[in-house]
Amino acid sequence: MGIFTHLLLALVAGLLVWVFQDARMAAAVAEVQLQASDYRLQVSEEKRAVDHRIHQTAQAIHLNYQEALNDSIKERARLAEAAAAAQRNAGRLRDQLREANVRIATASSTAVRDYAATANQLLGQCSQRYTELASKADGHAVDARTCRAAWPVIHAKTLAPAADTAAKEQAAVADPAE
């Protein structure tokens, strides 16, 4: 009877150790699951914060774009008005040149010389203004190229690896056994 008692006690002790180890393992699994849950919550909160920042940035970009578009529309209207005024002035100048040609035909040689000197002076001023305008246009072209070259561009290929990494991290958190 002593052997059976010892076997029974050993069996009961083994069973108690088994239950104790099972409880420890269950506690460890629960701890890991809690950590995984906390990590998923943290990732979710960070994602929500990033999404919020992205949304705010997108709104700011949209507002800036809309302002720029509205300014561009106003500027185009102003330029159209200026072009129409320039056309009207060019028409008046053509009329004055026609009248001047008629007057030159009947004018004295002194008056024709004075007219030629004045015309040369005006052409010199026009040439100077065209040179200044060309210089400003070249500067504007350089500025425009610089802006286009410096504008940030995000390609879809750049975003794909980051999305794959995030998906793998989420899968690892969802199944901590891996």
Side-chain angles (χ1 to χ4, degrees):
M1 184 145 160
I3 285 189
F4 287 121
T5 307
H6 285 139
L7 278 175
L8 185 61
L9 282 175
L11 185 63
V12 169
L15 188 59
L16 287 175
V17 168
W18 180 273
V19 169
F20 178 74
Q21 289 297 342
D22 185 51
R24 281 185 59 200
M25 179 56 92
V29 168
E31 176 85 24
V32 169
Q33 287 175 340
L34 177 63
Q35 288 174 352
S37 177
D38 288 346
Y39 180 72
R40 281 193 300 269
L41 179 62
Q42 179 186 359
V43 168
S44 175
E45 288 172 352
E46 289 174 0
K47 182 184 180 309
R48 191 173 20 255
V50 167
D51 287 346
H52 180 70
R53 284 195 309 268
I54 289 171
H55 180 70
Q56 284 180 328
T57 303
Q59 281 182 326
I61 289 171
H62 177 72
L63 289 175
N64 286 342
Y65 171 75
Q66 195 61 44
E67 279 183 29
L69 188 60
N70 290 341
D71 290 346
S72 174
I73 290 169
K74 289 176 187 174
E75 183 66 13
R76 286 179 186 266
R78 188 190 67 74
L79 290 175
E81 285 179 27
Q87 285 289 9
R88 289 190 299 273
N89 287 338
R92 285 194 295 271
L93 183 59
R94 275 192 300 274
D95 293 342
Q96 288 176 359
L97 289 174
R98 262 186 255 129
E99 289 175 19
N101 285 337
V102 171
R103 279 191 259 126
I104 286 175
T106 60
S108 69
S109 61
T110 306
V112 171
R113 273 188 240 120
D114 289 343
Y115 181 79
T118 303
N120 282 340
Q121 185 181 9
L122 285 173
L123 286 174
Q125 289 174 358
C126 286
S127 174
Q128 181 183 355
R129 294 292 301 272
Y130 281 134
T131 303
E132 291 170 2
L133 182 62
S135 175
K136 288 179 181 179
D138 289 344
H140 174 72
V142 168
D143 289 346
R145 279 193 300 271
T146 302
C147 285
R148 278 192 298 275
W151 190 258
V153 177
I154 300 174
H155 299 283
K157 291 178 184 177
T158 306
L159 295 177
D164 290 343
T165 304
K168 288 177 185 175
E169 285 179 2
Q170 287 180 347
V173 170
D175 190 8
E178 290 182 348

